[in-house]
Amino acid sequence: NISLLSALLKRDGHTTTCFDTCFVDFGFSSPSDSQTAASIFRAVDMSSLDVKKRKMYVQQLFTEKLNSFKPDVVAVSVVSDVVEIGRLLSDIAKAWNKRVIVIWGGKGATLEAERILSFPSVDYVCRGEGIVAFPLFVTAMHSGKSPHDIGNICYRQGSTVVMNDLYPLFDNYDSLPFFDWSLFDARSFYRPYDGKVLRGGDHMISCGCPNNC
């Protein structure tokens, strides 16, 4: 979860921001639009809330974000159907500064770590949970140390892809900070509900999937 990882990094003294692509029209429907069309949701007029996706010049917008924030690490979270968007953003980041570290995480990166590490603009992949591994990774980068002994981290070594062992699943949830929802555009929290528009956020009451597929 991006907002949890941001909160963990901030707790460790790092500074974070988010380049949110929720309102960029990449040519596919949003879940809310698809669910309304399928009559899962009652249709709601959200035109006054400025939530419609728009065609935007992503390279210019992301480069402006990079210029203003000047990150040392760019983290890209992907599911499988947005891998090419992640690749585009990674290419833009490396064109902006070839020394910036690019690391991917999320379900898409976990399932296809080897393929994603074949992209020249991707330096590392974090497989599985990032709760322990990602803060350790960022702290290592900040300290000028190698992250190669950190669990869950994958990287290229010559022509070989090294995939470190996974840490045990995290279970000390009471130790976690509150999610950092300040990262996101306020429009992201508008939700259609029973013919009305409410402000809310998605919250999972379990971690991971109970199945083993």
Side-chain angles (χ1 to χ4, degrees):
N1 183 293
I2 295 171
S3 54
L4 175 57
L5 295 179
S6 175
L8 289 166
L9 293 181
K10 286 181 175 179
R11 187 173 69 179
D12 289 346
H14 303 292
T15 306
T16 68
T17 190
C18 178
F19 181 72
D20 192 346
T21 60
C22 284
F23 300 104
V24 178
D25 182 359
F26 288 106
F28 50 83
S29 299
S30 70
S32 293
D33 290 341
S34 300
Q35 290 162 343
T36 299
S39 299
I40 296 173
F41 294 150
R42 288 170 60 185
V44 178
D45 181 8
M46 300 179 70
S47 59
S48 64
L49 301 174
D50 191 26
V51 295
K52 187 175 177 60
K53 293 178 180 287
R54 294 188 176 91
K55 294 288 186 184
M56 300 181 187
Y57 189 35
V58 175
Q59 181 168 353
Q60 178 181 338
L61 290 174
F62 190 38
T63 301
E64 289 172 357
K65 184 77 169 184
L66 294 167
N67 283 330
S68 64
F69 189 70
K70 296 180 173 56
D72 300 305
V73 175
V74 171
V76 180
S77 179
V78 296
V79 291
S80 296
D81 58 353
V82 296
V83 164
E84 290 307 314
I85 296 173
R87 187 174 187 175
L88 168 65
L89 296 176
S90 300
D91 290 345
I92 294 169
K94 285 293 189 181
W96 171 75
N97 182 351
K98 65 181 180 181
R99 293 186 297 275
V100 73
I101 300 299
V102 176
I103 180 170
W104 283 36
K107 299 178 184 69
T110 295
L111 292 170
E112 297 188 276
E114 290 192 61
R115 181 171 84 90
I116 287 165
L117 282 168
S118 71
F119 302 161
S121 56
V122 179
D123 300 303
Y124 297 93
V125 165
C126 180
R127 287 190 303 145
E129 293 182 328
I131 295 174
V132 174
F134 189 55
L136 290 175
F137 176 87
V138 172
T139 297
M141 292 290 96
H142 181 72
S143 305
K145 298 178 181 178
S146 171
H148 289 182
D149 61 346
I150 297 173
N152 299 34
I153 298 299
C154 311
Y155 57 93
R156 293 184 298 267
Q157 190 165 284
S159 59
T160 302
V161 171
V162 178
M163 305 211 319
N164 288 346
D165 292 339
L166 297 176
Y167 287 127
L169 294 177
F170 188 86
D171 61 3
N172 186 15
Y173 296 113
D174 287 341
S175 70
L176 297 175
F178 288 113
F179 288 14
D180 179 19
W181 283 4
S182 68
L183 287 174
F184 305 117
D185 189 312
R187 295 173 297 166
S188 298
F189 298 103
Y190 289 122
R191 299 284 194 275
Y193 181 79
D194 196 25
K196 298 176 287 189
V197 178
L198 302 178
R199 291 184 72 245
D202 300 324
H203 187 75
M204 298 180 69
I205 58 173
S206 63
C207 190
C209 177
N211 300 310
N212 192 29
C213 30

